[in-house]
Amino acid sequence: MRSQLTRNAHRRLLAGGPGAPPCPASVLSSYHARARCLAASTPSLTLTTPPRRTFFGVFKKPARELKAPDVPPGYETLLQFRALEVEDARPPEREGLVAGFKEFFNHMRKRGGAAKIGRRVSVPGSINSTQAFLAVRLLRHLLSTEGGGDSFTFADLKLILEIAVRPPRGKADNHLELVRLVYGETKRRIDHMRTIGLSEEEITQAIGISDRDQSTFFAYFITALTRFGASQEAVERMNDYQENLPKPSRVGAYTDDGVKVIQKANGMWMWVLRGLANEGLEDELIRSFSKLVKENGVKYLAGVHEILTTFYAERNRVEETKKWFSKPLFAGSINPETYMAVVRFALRNNEQEWLESVMEDVVNSRPTKQVWDVVFQWAVLAKGKGVEDIKGMFKVMGSQKTEDPSRKLEPDGDTINSLISAAAEINNPYLAERFAMLGRELRIPPTIQTMLIQLDYRLDAGDMSGAAEVYGKLQKVVQGDEDVPVVNKYLRTLCTSSQPPLERIISVTADLEHRHITLEPETTRSLCGVFLRFDQQFEVIDTLSLHTVSYSLEERAIVRQAMMDYITDRKISTARVWDCYQLLKQFFPETSTDERVRLMDSFFDRKRPDMACYIFGHMRGHGNPAQRPNSDIYVKCFEGIGRFPDAESLRMVHNMLKMDTTVEMNTKLYNGLMLAYAACGDPIDALGFWRDITNSREGPSYNSLAIVMWACELAPRGEETAREIWKKMVRMDLEIPKVVFDGYLGALAASGKAQEEVKKLIGEMERGWGWGMGLGLGVTFNAIPTMEGKNAFADWAKVEHPEVWGELEKTGRRETIDGPKYNIERRFEA
C-alpha cells in the first residue's frame, strides 16, 4: 500500500496548484481515512447502514477494503517536494530527491514506446502536464543547488529528454520548459568542457554518445520544439545549427563524416517542416522548404511530398493539393499515407473524377502491397464496392508481375483490416462483418488490430452483445496497451446505455485495474456517473483513488465538472448529491472558489442552508489562502441565509467572519449581516448593523435602505426608526426607489397604528411619484398585525385599487402564526 505521505503531498500540491500562494503546513489525512469518515459531516446522510448485532452476523463478509492510489514509483518525491515548496518549508535531503526523480523517469521509460517524430500521438510512458511541471520545479531546484550538476550523468539527462518529448494524452503546457531546462544543462556542460580545453574526442567520450557534434541532445530539443508548438523557433535554431556544419573544400566534396552530419541535419529539417505544417504556418513552411532545396540540396522525395500534399489536403485547398501531389518525385514512390490523405480530400471536395484518374495511374504503375491496400479502401469509400468486387481486385493484384516471380502479391491481415476500417468509416457495419468473414474465408487469421476495429464499429452500431464477444476474445490475446483507447470507449458506451450493466462495467474496470491501466478522464467521468446513480459510493472512491492521482489538473477538471453537474442537478435527491459533494471535497481540493460558490448556491436553492454553510465552512478552512472566501462570497452566503433562514448556520458564518483578518468590513457585508439576522428573526441585532453602516465612512446604499426598512417592519417599535430614516431621506431630497417605499409602508403598517397614514402615502405615491402599486398593497397587508386591521385594509383596497388587488389575490394566501399572508416574493440584495 502506498504511503499516506504520497496522498497527502498530492492533495497539498493540488490545493496550492502551479504558481499558487503557499498554503498552511497542516497535515491532510489520507484518501482512505477521509473516505471512511464521509458520513461524519451530516449524521442524517450516511454511506452505510448502522451495524446490528445478530447471530448470523458472524457469517457476514468482511468490510470492504478501499484501494490505494496507483502512484508511479518516485512520483511521491515530486509531490512531496512541491508540497513543501508551496508551504515555503525546508525540502528533504537532496540524495532522496535525486533518487526519487530518477526512479520516476526510469519507471516511465519502462512503460514507454516510440512515437513518430513530428506526430502528436500519445504514447505509453508519457508524462502529463502536471507531472512535467513537478519535474521542472524539482530539477530546477536540484540543478541550482551546490553540486547539483554532479547528480545527473549525461545518460540521465538523455533519459529525461526521451521521456519529456513523448506526446502526452492531454495538453503539453510544461513539457517544452522541461526540455529547455535539460537541454540547457547539457549545452552548459559541453561548453564548459570546451572552455577548459578538452578535445572533441574527449568530450564525446565524456558524454558517452557516438556523435562528435553532440547532436543527439540537439535532436531531442528540435523534436520538442516541433512537437509542442514552437516550430518557428525550431527554424531559427536549425539555421544557427546549419551555420556550424562542415563546409566542403569544393562543391560536392564533403568528407564521409560531413555527409553524415548533413544527412542528419536534413532529417531534423523534415521534423521542422512537419511541425510547421501541424501549426499551420504556410509561409514559413514554403520558405523553409525552398531554402533547403537551394542550400542543402534537399530533393522532392516522398517525405516532403507527404508533408506538403497533406498540409493543403487537410485544409481543402484544391488547387494547391493537386499541384503538390502531381509534382514529380526526384526518386522513389509516393507514400501510402499520402494516397489515403488524397482519397479523403477528394471525397470531401467532390473531386472523384480527378481521384479516379489518380487511382487508375496507381493501378497501372505496379504499386506495392501497401499502396494496393489504399486502392481497395478507395474502392469501398468512393466507388461503393462490395465483397465480390474486392475479390476480383485481389485477382488483379495477384496477376501483377513482381521483381521476384516466385512471390505473388496477396491480401494479408493488413488488407482485411483496411477494408474493415473503410466499411466502418462509411457507417456500414454489415459490410465490415462481410469483410471480416472474407478474411476467414481466405484463411487470414484475425490480428489484434482486427479485433480492435471490430470492437470499435460494433460499439458505434450499438451491437453490445457483439462488442462483448470481441472484448472477450481480445483480452485473451492482447499483450500491450494497444487496446486501451477502444476499451475506454467500450466502458463509456456501457455507461451511457439506458440500463447500464453494472456487473459488466465493474468486470471490465477490474481487468484494466489488474493491468495497471490508467483510465482516460472521460471514462472516469462516465464511471463515476453510473456508480453514483446506483449508490455505489465505494466504487466511486476506488475509481477516483486509482486514477485521478495520475491525471493532470486539466484532466482532473473533466471528472470534477461531471461531479459538479451531478451535485447541482435538482432532479437528484439531496442525500445523494451531498454524498457526492463529500467525495468532491476529498478528492478535488483544487476546486475553485467560483465552483464552490455554485455548489453553495445549489444547496440554498434546495432549501438546505445548513449544507450550504458547511460548504462555505470548508471553503473558509481551505489550506490555500487563494481559495478561501473573500468579502463578496461572505455577502453571497449571507444573502442565501436571508432567503432560507437558519440561525445556527448564521452564527457559524458570522463567527468565521469575526475571525477572518483578511476581510475588511464594508457596507455590502453589513447589508448581508442585517439581511441574514432579520430573516432569522433577530431584527434588533439587524438594526445594530444599520448603526454600523451609518457610522462608517462608506455610508448606506439603496440596498441598505431597503433592508433596514424590512428590519424595521420586523422589529418592535421599528416604525420609529423607519420614520427617522424616511424624514432624513426626504430632507436630503434623495431619489427614493420603489422597493424602499414599499418597505416603509410595511414598517408603518406593522405598528398597527398607522393605517390612515399608509393609505395617504399610497395616494401620494400614485400622484407624486407616478408609481404603480406593484407589491405595495401586498407588503402592507402582510405587515398588518391584526386580523381586524387586515380585513379593513382589504376592504379599502378592493374599492380604491380593484385591478391591483385582483392581481394580488391571484397569488394566493397562506396561513401563518401572524394570520393570512399573500404569497409575494420580496428578494433583497446586499
Side-chain angles (χ1 to χ4, degrees):
M1 181 177 292
R2 295 293 174 189
S3 68
Q4 179 171 317
L5 173 62
T6 301
R7 299 188 288 275
N8 292 343
H10 185 257
R11 290 173 55 80
R12 283 188 286 177
L13 157 75
L14 294 171
C23 57
S26 58
V27 178
L28 304 177
S29 56
S30 70
Y31 280 114
H32 288 193
R34 291 272 184 138
R36 292 191 183 99
C37 297
L38 286 177
S41 299
T42 306
S44 61
L45 298 172
T46 58
L47 296 179
T48 57
T49 56
R52 293 183 300 164
R53 295 189 63 183
T54 67
F55 173 77
F56 295 101
V58 295
F59 301 109
K60 289 184 177 180
K61 293 182 179 180
R64 165 74 178 268
E65 284 290 332
L66 294 171
K67 298 170 184 175
D70 189 11
V71 183
Y75 190 39
E76 59 185 276
T77 301
L78 277 69
L79 294 168
Q80 181 188 21
F81 172 78
R82 176 56 183 164
L84 294 173
E85 183 185 42
V86 166
E87 295 174 357
D88 200 20
R90 181 179 178 179
E93 296 294 329
R94 73 171 289 106
E95 290 78 10
L97 294 176
V98 171
F101 188 95
K102 291 182 178 180
E103 183 183 21
F104 174 71
F105 277 90
N106 278 313
H107 171 74
M108 302 310 289
R109 176 182 61 182
K110 294 175 184 176
R111 291 184 55 194
K116 292 183 179 180
I117 292 295
R119 301 295 181 90
R120 285 301 308 275
V121 179
S122 175
V123 297
S126 60
I127 57 177
N128 61 45
S129 60
T130 300
Q131 291 169 334
F133 169 80
L134 296 173
V136 168
R137 302 300 302 180
L138 178 52
L139 185 59
R140 182 171 288 141
H141 165 76
L142 293 173
L143 294 178
S144 63
T145 55
E146 185 177 353
D150 299 336
S151 302
F152 296 93
T153 65
F154 277 100
D156 293 330
L157 296 174
K158 182 181 177 183
L159 171 61
I160 299 170
L161 287 174
E162 177 188 335
I163 303 301
V165 299
R166 291 175 179 171
R169 179 176 53 218
K171 293 182 179 180
D173 293 339
N174 300 291
H175 289 64
L176 187 53
E177 184 179 1
L178 177 59
V179 171
R180 289 186 194 277
L181 181 61
V182 177
Y183 176 68
E185 174 64 14
T186 62
K187 192 172 184 301
R188 183 192 65 78
R189 293 188 189 185
I190 293 172
D191 290 344
H192 176 69
M193 292 179 189
R194 287 175 177 152
T195 302
I196 63 177
L198 292 184
S199 66
E200 292 298 315
E201 185 175 349
E202 290 173 319
I203 294 175
T204 300
Q205 186 176 5
I207 295 175
I209 57 178
S210 59
D211 300 299
R212 286 192 178 179
D213 63 342
Q214 297 87 42
S215 62
T216 299
F217 296 105
F218 182 71
Y220 277 124
F221 183 47
I222 293 299
T223 299
L225 291 175
T226 58
R227 187 169 281 167
F228 301 136
S231 297
Q232 188 73 53
E233 181 184 347
V235 173
E236 299 171 4
R237 296 279 187 165
M238 283 300 301
N239 286 333
D240 295 339
Y241 177 75
Q242 192 93 10
E243 293 296 322
N244 297 320
L245 292 181
K247 302 296 188 295
S249 56
R250 64 182 189 278
V251 177
Y254 283 104
T255 63
D256 290 343
D257 287 341
V259 170
K260 292 179 181 178
V261 171
I262 292 294
Q263 289 175 342
K264 185 158 190 174
N266 287 344
M268 287 190 285
W269 270 114
M270 293 302 103
W271 309 343
V272 174
L273 293 180
R274 194 177 296 279
L276 293 170
N278 290 339
E279 294 174 35
L281 303 175
E282 179 182 1
D283 294 340
E284 189 59 51
L285 173 64
I286 301 302
R287 188 184 307 115
S288 297
F289 171 65
S290 301
K291 183 177 180 181
L292 286 173
V293 172
K294 182 179 179 181
E295 298 182 5
N296 285 29
V298 170
K299 306 299 182 183
Y300 194 60
L301 299 175
V304 180
H305 178 267
E306 178 190 347
I307 293 171
L308 293 171
T309 302
T310 303
F311 174 80
Y312 289 107
E314 289 176 347
R315 288 157 180 78
N316 299 318
R317 303 267 292 274
V318 175
E319 296 305 320
E320 291 89 344
T321 302
K322 291 181 179 180
K323 169 190 170 183
W324 289 103
F325 176 79
S326 302
K327 187 177 174 67
L329 299 185
F330 177 78
S333 57
I334 297 174
N335 292 339
E337 294 81 4
T338 310
Y339 279 122
M340 204 64 234
V342 165
V343 168
R344 294 193 172 96
F345 153 79
L347 293 176
R348 287 195 307 270
N349 294 278
N350 197 26
E351 291 287 338
Q352 286 90 335
E353 185 177 345
W354 172 77
L355 178 61
E356 188 160 355
S357 65
V358 169
M359 289 295 108
E360 184 177 343
D361 293 340
V362 169
V363 172
N364 294 330
S365 64
R366 297 174 59 188
T368 62
K369 161 65 177 53
Q370 291 75 17
V371 176
W372 267 111
D373 288 346
V374 176
V375 174
F376 299 144
Q377 290 183 77
W378 161 75
V380 174
L381 293 171
K383 307 296 289 183
K385 300 297 184 181
V387 173
E388 297 302 322
D389 299 310
I390 296 299
K391 283 183 179 180
M393 296 180 71
F394 283 170
K395 293 179 181 179
V396 175
M397 177 180 68
S399 66
Q400 176 181 306
K401 294 182 179 180
T402 60
E403 294 180 0
D404 184 358
S406 63
R407 298 186 61 184
K408 293 175 57 179
L409 293 180
E410 295 179 341
D412 57 11
D414 291 338
T415 306
I416 298 301
N417 291 342
S418 65
L419 288 168
I420 296 174
S421 296
E425 190 171 334
I426 59 175
N427 297 316
N428 192 335
Y430 174 74
L431 182 59
E433 293 290 351
R434 292 286 309 280
F435 284 133
M437 293 175 60
L438 175 62
R440 293 192 291 272
E441 180 183 328
L442 298 176
R443 296 184 179 180
I444 300 174
T447 64
I448 292 178
Q449 187 63 29
T450 309
M451 298 179 190
L452 294 177
I453 300 170
Q454 282 186 304
L455 179 55
D456 189 53
Y457 75 71
R458 287 183 179 181
L459 290 174
D460 290 338
D463 180 9
M464 301 309 297
S465 60
E469 178 188 353
V470 175
Y471 174 79
K473 295 178 180 178
L474 185 62
Q475 296 312 299
K476 295 177 182 178
V477 296
V478 71
Q479 295 178 344
D481 295 344
E482 60 267 35
D483 65 323
V484 171
V486 71
V487 173
N488 272 268
K489 180 178 179 179
Y490 180 37
L491 274 173
R492 291 194 295 270
T493 306
L494 289 173
C495 291
T496 54
S497 59
S498 57
Q499 295 293 329
L502 189 60
E503 291 185 3
R504 182 65 178 165
I505 291 171
I506 294 175
S507 173
V508 175
T509 56
D511 291 342
L512 294 174
E513 178 188 334
H514 180 72
R515 294 164 55 192
H516 298 282
I517 299 296
T518 299
L519 295 174
E520 296 172 2
E522 295 82 4
T523 306
T524 300
R525 175 183 62 191
S526 298
L527 286 173
C528 289
V530 169
F531 292 149
L532 287 168
R533 175 179 168 184
F534 285 93
D535 292 325
Q536 298 290 321
Q537 285 90 352
F538 287 106
E539 293 295 343
V540 179
I541 293 169
D542 285 342
T543 302
L544 295 175
S545 182
L546 287 171
H547 302 290
T548 58
V549 70
S550 298
Y551 289 165
S552 68
L553 290 174
E554 293 78 12
E555 291 170 330
R556 290 171 62 85
I558 295 173
V559 184
R560 185 176 72 245
Q561 186 58 51
M563 298 184 75
M564 290 281 301
D565 293 341
Y566 182 90
I567 296 169
T568 55
D569 188 344
R570 294 294 301 276
K571 296 189 294 292
I572 302 173
S573 71
T574 301
R576 283 183 169 183
V577 300
W578 183 253
D579 285 346
C580 184
Y581 166 72
Q582 295 286 358
L583 298 176
L584 178 77
K585 178 171 70 75
Q586 310 308 325
F587 286 96
F588 297 94
E590 73 272 22
T591 304
S592 68
T593 53
D594 288 343
E595 290 171 319
R596 292 172 189 266
V597 168
R598 178 184 163 200
L599 295 176
M600 182 181 74
D601 286 342
S602 74
F603 281 100
F604 275 128
D605 292 339
R606 289 176 180 269
K607 300 182 181 180
R608 289 303 303 261
D610 54 336
M611 293 180 173
C613 290
Y614 272 125
I615 294 175
F616 181 90
H618 299 151
M619 202 183 334
R620 174 66 180 84
H622 201 285
N624 180 10
Q627 290 181 278
R628 295 175 189 163
N630 55 25
S631 61
D632 289 337
I633 298 176
Y634 273 100
V635 169
K636 204 163 188 62
C637 185
F638 289 135
E639 287 178 338
I641 297 173
R643 288 187 288 127
F644 304 104
D646 186 323
E648 184 178 349
S649 297
L650 172 58
R651 286 192 295 270
M652 178 181 73
V653 177
H654 191 190
N655 286 335
M656 292 179 190
L657 176 61
K658 293 175 184 177
M659 299 174 64
D660 196 335
T661 59
T662 65
V663 175
E664 184 176 349
M665 295 301 296
N666 56 33
T667 296
K668 286 187 69 174
L669 270 172
Y670 284 127
N671 288 348
L673 285 165
M674 183 165 54
L675 172 61
Y677 272 91
C680 290
D682 194 352
I684 302 300
D685 282 349
L687 291 177
F689 295 116
W690 166 254
R691 289 188 288 273
D692 291 332
I693 292 174
T694 58
N695 293 329
S696 68
R697 177 177 299 180
E698 187 178 357
S701 64
Y702 281 118
N703 288 343
S704 307
L705 296 172
I707 297 170
V708 74
M709 288 299 180
W710 182 48
C712 290
E713 175 186 327
L714 301 175
R717 302 178 65 179
E719 80 282 357
E720 296 177 4
T721 304
R723 289 182 190 279
E724 293 176 6
I725 297 171
W726 182 262
K727 289 177 182 178
K728 191 170 183 178
M729 287 191 295
V730 173
R731 187 170 63 249
M732 295 176 66
D733 196 25
L734 293 180
E735 182 179 346
I736 302 174
K738 177 71 165 56
V739 65
V740 175
F741 184 84
D742 289 343
Y744 182 52
L745 292 179
L748 294 180
S751 68
K753 306 172 185 177
Q755 282 202 33
E756 294 305 318
E757 184 180 355
V758 168
K759 294 174 184 178
K760 180 181 177 182
L761 282 171
I762 291 174
E764 292 177 356
M765 176 185 69
E766 291 187 304
R767 293 190 300 271
W769 284 291
W771 288 331
M773 285 305 302
L775 295 177
L777 292 180
V779 170
T780 304
F781 178 88
N782 289 350
I784 296 174
T786 65
M787 195 65 224
E788 181 182 356
K790 289 179 183 289
N791 290 336
F793 181 79
D795 292 339
W796 172 82
K798 289 176 183 178
V799 175
E800 296 296 328
H801 307 280
E803 292 184 4
V804 178
W805 190 258
E807 291 296 321
L808 178 63
E809 289 187 326
K810 290 179 181 178
T811 65
R813 295 203 296 188
R814 67 186 186 277
E815 292 298 328
T816 71
I817 195 172
D818 298 321
K821 292 187 177 183
Y822 283 100
N823 297 318
I824 57 175
E825 182 181 7
R826 299 174 69 184
R827 188 160 183 170
F828 300 97
E829 294 183 357

